[in-house]
Amino acid sequence: MHAHVLEDLLPPLLQFSKHKPDAPLSILDVGCGSGYLVSVFGRMVEKERVEPKLNKGKVFGIDVVPQLVEMSRKNIMKEDGDLFESNTVQVMVGDGWKGYPEGAPYNAIHVGAAAATFPKNLMAQLAVGGVMVIPVGPDGGVQYLYRVERVGDDGGVVGVGRDDSKISFSEDDFKVYRVLGVRYVPLVRTDD
């Protein structure tokens, strides 16, 4: 599944790097769990690459479970601790339904748990041209992996100089593609 996600998220990262060669990439991994994808994304953006051309950037990993964030941190430190030292990756406790506005807008978002519906707050943090890969469906029910592309900014994009509290949601800003059937644990919400 990780390879499939990477195949869906690499093309928009390459496209962004081609059109904005001096702009840093920003990637969010929701449900960072073991830390594996945070490390992979970190290696992809730790330094500017020539082939394939990929800009430097920053990877943010969030999970609602503090113990999983700690496990992620420990696993990354085993072989990829330099990603923390270079400030290429950061992992923290956070609600995946809310995302991490401080790192937005994101060129790529991976969600590693099934949302009952599409999280609008998270979608608003996707950069125009960015892609989110997310499983959607009820816990224990039929779930699908979706590819969500941000194609417009009529509703506004979190983190691009506007007052984020005034951002609305416009469905016309997104193209949504159902990719394949999946089975994931539920994306947990916090009460605050």
Side-chain angles (χ1 to χ4, degrees), residues 1-2 5 27-39 41 59-73 75-76 90-100 109-115 119 122 132-135 184-189:
M1 188 52 63
H2 288 127
V5 166
I27 300 172
L28 178 63
D29 183 22
V30 174
C32 59
S34 70
Y36 177 76
L37 273 179
V38 171
S39 287
F41 287 134
V59 180
F60 301 91
I62 62 172
D63 204 298
V64 72
V65 180
Q67 294 86 348
L68 290 177
V69 172
E70 187 55 32
M71 180 178 70
S72 180
R73 182 178 281 104
N75 285 341
I76 294 169
Q90 182 179 342
V91 294
M92 69 217 80
V93 174
D95 184 333
W97 286 89
K98 298 174 185 170
Y100 185 66
I109 299 175
H110 164 258
V111 183
L122 188 57
M132 175 170 64
V133 175
I134 180 171
Y184 278 79
V185 297
L187 183 61
V188 178
R189 293 181 198 254

Side-chain angles (χ1 to χ4, degrees), residues 11-45:
L13 297 174
L14 291 168
Q15 189 74 5
F16 179 84
S17 296
K18 179 180 178 182
H19 293 296
K20 295 186 179 181
D22 297 323
L25 291 164
S26 188
I27 300 172
L28 178 63
D29 183 22
V30 174
C32 59
S34 70
Y36 177 76
L37 273 179
V38 171
S39 287
V40 171
F41 287 134
R43 288 294 174 212
M44 288 169 58
V45 302

Side-chain angles (χ1 to χ4, degrees), residues 45-65:
V45 302
E46 70 180 314
K47 56 187 172 190
E48 191 170 322
R49 300 200 176 275
V50 176
E51 195 56 45
K53 171 69 173 106
L54 201 59
N55 296 359
K56 284 182 69 169
K58 175 102 179 185
V59 180
F60 301 91
I62 62 172
D63 204 298
V64 72
V65 180

Side-chain angles (χ1 to χ4, degrees), residues 114-158:
T117 60
F118 289 94
K120 292 180 180 177
N121 288 340
L122 188 57
M123 291 171 73
Q125 295 172 37
L126 196 59
V128 175
V131 171
M132 175 170 64
V133 175
I134 180 171
V136 178
D139 185 18
V142 176
Q143 299 174 352
Y144 292 97
L145 189 68
Y146 288 89
R147 176 185 162 98
V148 179
E149 296 178 3
R150 183 81 188 248
V151 295
D153 66 353
D154 290 339
V157 180
V158 172

